[in-house]
């Protein structure tokens, strides 16, 4: 039936409960002792082993194998008896045949727990995902060869606790992992693993010294991530040094007429009257020299509320103001929407398709909500744009021009026209 059954004598094959059962026994052969290697055929006893095997015809297979326990007659051997093993069929303490065990291990290697368990279920080998992972973790790790290109980097475990990771840069597989970023530990590893030709590392002086001591002939290079990180940091520093020029990225707005008194300053409301009463009560009590805790107990307020009113110079400072609307990705296209509305285009779907062609990546509903005030004869609420931060300018400069959207492209153009130093930085940052 199977090649691995040739070493035993099959006595009976039958089907019971959907399982193919095979009754077999070992042949009367001389077996070597696993300790001393001396052959023996003197039988001590027999016992039956139940071995699961790969399915046959869609049915699971169970082998009931009768094996011998033999005496070891060597006077120099400390083992008195031993159980015989059938090559290719039995392994010590194993309840599966080597062929089935290899199938379970490969399912775990390729598909891990859940996927491996589902595949084995199809092959009539019912195992849980935990069992598949257990067999996977029992596999010995392959010997790690010394890489030609070694990647060295640190990582944060938590707070100020760091670890070191070594990676084969050719295969992108991890090699070593240890706590700390000690130079002597890395140097010792490089001495015990000669043959490293190139080492990719970050700008750490600790790793540089360790590589110099452990592999002096290796070429030290920076990987792409740390090169890009260093470039972005340097561009951000230059933008911070020219912070006064960053406001040039904002388009000039038309001078607006001085607004009349805001509704906030003139309108009366219960909240404003309540704030005025609390302000007068807190300041009247604080003039008597009592502590904030005493005033809070008297007025039935929280101490922080009393402290806020006591620090305020007027009751208007204690009234919560409505914050201005935050800028959104639609703001660069509001002028286009206003212009197209005045030209007679009032369909939100058409306006959305037009600004999508210009680089907008938002949803149609945001465009529909933005032009809703225009349908009621009101202007579009346009927030005042803030100057970009140095980090934002660095991101604009280091981004490939073809991947910039409309707003960053226009803002960067205005900024570079105003600041020659940032223009020079932008030219040097472009790939050659």
């Amino acid at each position: 039936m199977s090649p691995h059954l040739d070493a035993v004598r099959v006595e009976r094959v039958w089907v019971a409960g959907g399982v193919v059962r095979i009754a077999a026994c070992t042949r009367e052969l001389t077996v070597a002792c696993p300790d001393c290697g001396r052959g023996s055929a003197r039988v001590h006893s027999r016992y039956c082993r139940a071995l699961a095997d790969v399915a046959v015809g869609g049915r699971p297979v169970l082998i009931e194998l009768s094996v011998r326990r033999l005496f070891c007659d060597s006077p120099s051997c400390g083992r008195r008896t031993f159980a015989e093993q059938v090559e290719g069929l039995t392994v010590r303490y194993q309840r599966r045949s080597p062929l089935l065990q290899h199938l379970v291990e490969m399912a775990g290697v390729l598909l891990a727990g859940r996927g491996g368990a589902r595949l084995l279920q199809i092959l009539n080998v019912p195992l849980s995902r935990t069992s598949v992972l257990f067999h996977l973790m029992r596999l010995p790790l392959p010997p790690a060869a010394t890489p030609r290109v070694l990647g060295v980097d640190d990582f944060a475990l938590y707070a100020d606790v760091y670890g070191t990771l070594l990676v084969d840069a050719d295969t992108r597989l991890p090699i070593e992992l240890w706590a700390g970023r000690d130079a002597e530990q890395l140097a010792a590893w490089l001495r015990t693993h000669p043959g490293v030709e190139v080492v990719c590392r970050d700008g750490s002086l600790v790793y540089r010294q360790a590589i110099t001591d452990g592999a002096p002939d290796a070429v030290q290079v920076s990987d792409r991530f740390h090169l890009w990180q260093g470039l972005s940091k340097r561009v951000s520093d230059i933008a911070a040094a020219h912070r006064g020029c960053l406001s040039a990225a904002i388009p000039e707005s038309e001078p607006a007429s001085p607004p009349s008194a805001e509704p906030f300053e003139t309108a009366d409301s219960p909240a404003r009257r309540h704030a005025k009463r609390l302000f007068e009560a807190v300041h009247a009590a604080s003039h008597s020299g009592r502590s904030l805790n005493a005033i809070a107990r008297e007025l039935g307020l929280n101490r922080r509320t009393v402290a806020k009113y006591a620090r305020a110079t007027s009751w208007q400072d204690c009234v919560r103001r409505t914050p201005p609307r935050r800028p959104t990705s639609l703001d660069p296209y509001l002028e286009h929407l206003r212009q197209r509305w005045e030209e007679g285009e009032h369909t939100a779907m058409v306006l959305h398709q037009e600004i999508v062609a210009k680089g907008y990546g938002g949803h149609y509903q945001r465009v529909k909500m933005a032009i809703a005030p225009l349908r009621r004869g009101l202007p579009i609420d346009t927030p005042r744009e803030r100057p970009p931060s140095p980090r934002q300018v660095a991101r604009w400069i280091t981004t490939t021009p073809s991947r910039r959207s409309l707003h960053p492209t226009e803002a960067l153009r205005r900024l570079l026209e105003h600041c020659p130093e940032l223009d020079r930085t932008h030219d040097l940052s472009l790939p050659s």
Side-chain angles (χ1 to χ4, degrees):
M1 293 181 63
S2 301
H4 51 276
L5 293 176
D6 294 343
V8 298
R9 185 171 59 251
V10 178
E11 297 177 342
R12 183 186 174 194
V13 179
W14 74 102
V15 178
V19 179
V20 178
R21 296 180 176 270
I22 301 175
C25 63
T26 58
R27 301 180 185 275
E28 304 294 334
L29 302 175
T30 301
V31 182
C33 174
D35 287 354
C36 64
R38 180 174 178 177
S40 174
R42 193 159 66 96
V43 179
H44 172 274
S45 59
R46 278 187 174 272
Y47 69 98
C48 187
R49 295 184 61 176
L51 300 172
D53 200 5
V54 293
V56 173
R59 296 178 179 179
V61 176
L62 182 64
I63 303 175
E64 299 176 357
L65 179 63
S66 176
V67 297
R68 300 174 297 169
R69 178 169 290 278
L70 304 172
F71 286 103
C72 181
D73 296 327
S74 175
S76 59
C77 181
R79 183 187 292 270
R80 299 270 60 92
T81 63
F82 62 92
E84 64 177 337
Q85 304 294 337
V86 180
E87 184 178 1
L89 183 59
T90 63
V91 179
R92 193 179 183 189
Y93 303 126
Q94 185 73 40
R95 300 184 65 180
R96 298 182 184 87
S97 65
L99 184 60
L100 180 59
Q101 182 64 23
H102 179 72
L103 178 64
V104 172
E105 293 172 352
M106 289 302 100
V109 170
L110 297 177
L111 301 175
R114 296 184 186 276
R118 288 195 292 265
L119 174 63
L120 293 174
Q121 187 73 29
I122 298 174
L123 300 177
N124 287 309
V125 186
L127 277 181
S128 66
R129 61 180 180 86
T130 307
S131 299
V132 176
L133 292 177
F134 172 76
H135 289 288
L136 175 62
M137 290 185 289
R138 288 179 56 190
L139 289 175
L141 295 176
T146 301
R148 186 185 67 87
V149 182
L150 177 68
V152 181
D153 201 0
D154 59 353
F155 62 95
L157 291 169
Y158 52 88
D160 294 330
V161 180
Y162 291 86
T164 299
L165 174 65
L166 304 185
V167 178
D168 188 340
D170 289 331
T171 62
R172 300 184 179 182
L173 296 177
I175 301 175
E176 289 287 344
L177 182 69
W178 61 68
R181 41 184 178 183
D182 184 32
E184 184 56 36
Q185 193 172 14
L186 177 58
W189 189 92
L190 291 172
R191 294 190 196 99
T192 56
H193 297 80
V196 177
E197 300 177 6
V198 181
V199 180
C200 298
R201 62 172 180 85
D202 57 8
S204 172
L205 299 179
V206 176
Y207 289 152
R208 184 182 70 177
Q209 184 61 38
I211 298 168
T212 303
D213 296 341
D217 297 333
V219 179
Q220 301 185 35
V221 299
S222 291
D223 54 54
R224 182 170 54 183
F225 169 77
H226 289 102
L227 282 174
W228 200 256
Q229 185 184 50
L231 174 63
S232 301
K233 180 64 171 60
R234 184 55 183 157
V235 173
S236 180
D237 293 341
I238 296 174
H242 298 82
R243 191 181 296 270
C245 301
L246 302 186
S247 59
I250 304 176
E252 297 182 358
S253 58
E254 298 180 358
S257 58
S260 57
E262 297 180 1
F264 178 83
E265 302 293 338
T266 58
D268 192 13
S269 65
R272 292 169 61 82
R273 291 193 295 268
H274 178 69
K276 185 177 180 179
R277 287 195 300 267
L278 287 184
F279 177 82
E280 295 173 352
V282 170
H283 275 262
S286 61
H287 291 332
S288 62
R290 282 177 290 177
S291 65
L292 296 179
N293 290 330
I295 299 174
R297 286 193 296 269
E298 178 184 346
L299 300 178
L301 300 175
N302 187 278
R303 185 187 182 281
R304 294 183 179 179
T305 303
V306 174
K308 181 183 72 171
Y309 278 91
R311 289 193 304 264
T313 57
S314 64
W315 64 269
Q316 288 87 350
D317 297 337
C318 302
V319 180
R320 180 176 298 177
R321 298 172 180 267
T322 304
R325 185 174 69 84
R326 294 182 178 180
T328 65
S329 59
L330 184 62
D331 294 341
Y333 308 95
L334 293 180
E335 184 61 32
H336 175 80
L337 296 178
R338 186 184 298 108
Q339 179 181 354
R340 293 288 292 136
W341 183 275
E342 294 175 354
E343 293 175 357
E345 183 55 66
H346 297 169
T347 305
M349 184 66 71
V350 176
L351 295 175
H352 176 259
Q353 294 174 354
E354 291 180 357
I355 62 175
V356 165
K358 291 179 173 292
Y360 176 65
H363 196 267
Y364 152 76
Q365 289 293 339
R366 299 184 66 178
V367 178
K368 182 179 179 181
M369 295 173 61
I371 65 174
L374 297 176
R375 299 186 185 278
R376 300 192 298 270
L378 301 176
I380 295 180
D381 182 18
T382 306
R384 179 172 177 79
E385 188 175 357
R386 296 181 179 179
S389 64
R391 180 178 296 183
Q392 189 174 7
V393 172
R395 184 165 61 249
W396 292 349
I397 292 177
T398 55
T399 300
T400 306
S402 59
R403 301 185 63 180
R404 297 183 195 137
S405 59
L406 176 63
H407 177 60
T409 301
E410 292 299 321
L412 183 60
R413 179 187 59 79
R414 290 189 294 266
L415 178 60
L416 298 182
E417 291 176 354
H418 182 268
C419 184
E421 289 79 5
L422 288 177
D423 189 18
R424 176 63 175 167
T425 303
H426 175 261
D427 294 339
L428 294 176
S429 302
L430 291 176
S432 56

